[in-house]
Amino acid sequence: MELVKQARAHVSRLDLSAAQAARLDGQAHAARAVWNLLHAYFTFRQGRFAMLKDCDAAIRQARHEIDWMGQLPAQAVLKAYRQAWANFFNPDHPAGRPTFKARFRSRLAVDVPQARDLQIKRLNRRWGAVNLPKVGRVRFRWTKDLPGVTKGGPAGRITGARLVKDAYGWTIVFRVECEVPAPAQRSGPSVGIDRGVTVALALSDGTMREHGPWLSGGERERLRRLEKKAARQRRARTPGEPTSRRLARTNAQIAKARATAKRRALDWQHQTTTELATGFGVIVVEDLKVMNMVRSAKGTVEQPGTNVAQKAGLNRAIAGEAWGRTVTLLEYKTADRGGQVVKVPAPGTSQTCHECGYRDPGNRAGSVFACKNPVCGWVGHADTNGAINIVNAAGTAVSGRGDLAVGRSVKRQPPRAA
């Protein structure tokens, strides 16, 4: 049986004391400062990019001259910085160009590159313990067996970890590498998925995957009150003065409420994409440029935009659905099961009738699609029509990931009635 290496991440919540959390905060800010120094040295040194060996030498020298540089594995920051440039130059990777990290707009993170430093041990059914550099022994929530730690657990090894802070506190992300049997290739069934705002996911088989609000009515009202409270506190703050403790506390409460919504959205996406990857062998989606779709409509002083408020609301709705993350989850889950995600060109899928191929912007009115071709006259849900067009366009795929050949034509599906 052929075995393949599978790299995954396992996230667990850390149980830190106030002193340990403060030390991790200090390490994360130091790592951010090292990143910014590296970026300045790498991009502005004598008007050209510096060599990585020069960056490594500069870091080693700085660790002897600057005290706080010794409080974290600075070489790990260099490794992450180098990988960021590699992702940027990789045409198949969506990463942007590395830039400076702002203090209040960047996520705090500390990398632990060596797994041998962790010394992971399970304490009981619910908790495990791990060693963190410069912090000490820390408990973490045990939610899943880790390879190489417990007897009879999954085969594999832990290659390192990354500590990440969000509104709920610090978490540890274990980098896990396992050898699993190569999945058997699957050629079908195939399905097209139309991503939307009113309907989250519309499938070409006529079904839909929808969700309710991520926050309850009471939670949304509390978030609204907190945002109004923060606005009042910002207006009362004298420009140039540091943020008051009250405003910082209000901002933390807002961040926690939004993090709750994000966690629920991610949980729904994981469950839904797992169901789709298990049920279908070939999943066809549109090749959407989401970053271009959510650009602001304000325009410039010379050419101001129109319907700015409506476009801003649409941008928030698109960002809340996280269309790109949905495809990312589908790609690796279908590949694990021997399937494939195929991307097809997006233009025309929502305006073309799947029955007769007649294309007209007037075919669609909201969620209703009514073909203007007098010979056809098909009427049905607009998102379902778009999903059928998407799966029928699989032969013109622009990209594909999985065990099937990239760009391989998928058997076109016959038109389906509403």
Side-chain angles (χ1 to χ4, degrees), residues 75-93:
Q75 302 298 326
V77 180
L78 175 59
K79 182 179 179 180
Y81 183 75
R82 178 182 180 181
Q83 186 61 45
W85 278 106
N87 294 340
F88 171 67
F89 286 115
N90 184 357
D92 296 330
H93 202 286

Side-chain angles (χ1 to χ4, degrees), residues 8 15-16 42 60 80 116 144 153 176 202 214-215 258 261 269 287 292 297-298 309 335 339 365 376-378 416:
R8 290 291 180 266
D15 182 26
L16 298 170
F42 185 77
R60 294 181 184 276
R116 64 172 181 269
K144 186 178 181 181
V176 178
W214 303 128
L215 297 177
R258 291 175 177 171
Q269 283 183 310
D287 186 31
N292 295 340
K298 290 183 178 179
C376 176
W378 184 88
R416 297 177 175 85

Side-chain angles (χ1 to χ4, degrees), residues 372-417:
K372 300 298 183 182
N373 186 354
V375 180
C376 176
W378 184 88
V379 179
H381 199 286
D383 293 334
T384 302
N385 176 78
I388 297 174
N389 284 329
I390 290 170
V391 72
N392 287 344
T396 60
V398 297
S399 66
R401 291 186 182 180
D403 290 337
L404 300 180
V406 174
R408 174 181 174 181
S409 298
V410 182
K411 184 178 180 181
R412 293 176 179 264
Q413 301 298 305
R416 297 177 175 85

Side-chain angles (χ1 to χ4, degrees), residues 197-371:
V197 174
T198 304
V199 177
L201 301 176
L203 276 60
S204 59
D205 60 3
T207 62
M208 298 180 181
R209 304 295 185 272
E210 301 180 80
H211 59 77
W214 303 128
L215 297 177
S216 65
E219 290 171 331
R220 292 197 300 272
E221 176 62 19
R222 181 174 182 272
L223 177 59
R224 187 187 69 85
R225 291 177 179 273
L226 286 172
E227 289 174 340
K228 293 181 65 176
K229 181 179 179 181
R232 290 195 303 268
Q233 292 172 336
R234 283 193 296 269
R235 286 196 299 268
R237 172 173 167 262
T238 303
E241 289 187 354
T243 302
S244 66
R245 292 185 179 180
R246 291 183 178 180
L247 178 56
R249 183 165 57 248
T250 304
N251 289 336
Q253 292 172 334
I254 293 173
K256 195 168 184 178
R258 291 175 177 171
T260 299
K262 182 178 179 180
R263 286 188 173 191
R264 292 172 183 171
L266 183 60
D267 178 69
W268 180 86
Q269 283 183 310
H270 269 294
Q271 294 189 42
T272 305
T273 53
T274 299
E275 174 209 346
L276 295 175
T278 304
F280 299 98
V282 179
I283 299 176
V284 190
V285 297
E286 293 175 297
D287 186 31
L288 298 177
K289 307 300 181 185
V290 181
M291 293 301 296
N292 295 340
M293 297 175 64
V294 297
R295 284 181 178 174
S296 173
K298 290 183 178 179
T300 62
V301 176
E302 295 78 12
Q303 295 181 344
T306 58
N307 298 326
V308 177
Q310 294 88 333
K311 183 61 168 65
L314 177 61
N315 291 348
R316 287 193 295 269
I318 293 175
E321 292 297 331
W323 291 346
R325 186 169 62 200
T326 299
V327 175
T328 300
L329 296 177
L330 282 172
E331 284 177 336
Y332 85 82
K333 291 181 180 182
T334 52
D336 287 350
R337 293 161 175 80
Q340 183 190 29
V341 170
V342 178
K343 296 181 181 180
V344 301
T349 55
S350 62
Q351 301 175 357
T352 305
C353 177
H354 73 275
E355 283 281 357
C356 64
Y358 179 73
R359 178 174 175 178
D360 187 347
N363 283 344
R364 177 167 184 168
S367 61
V368 178
F369 187 95
C371 182

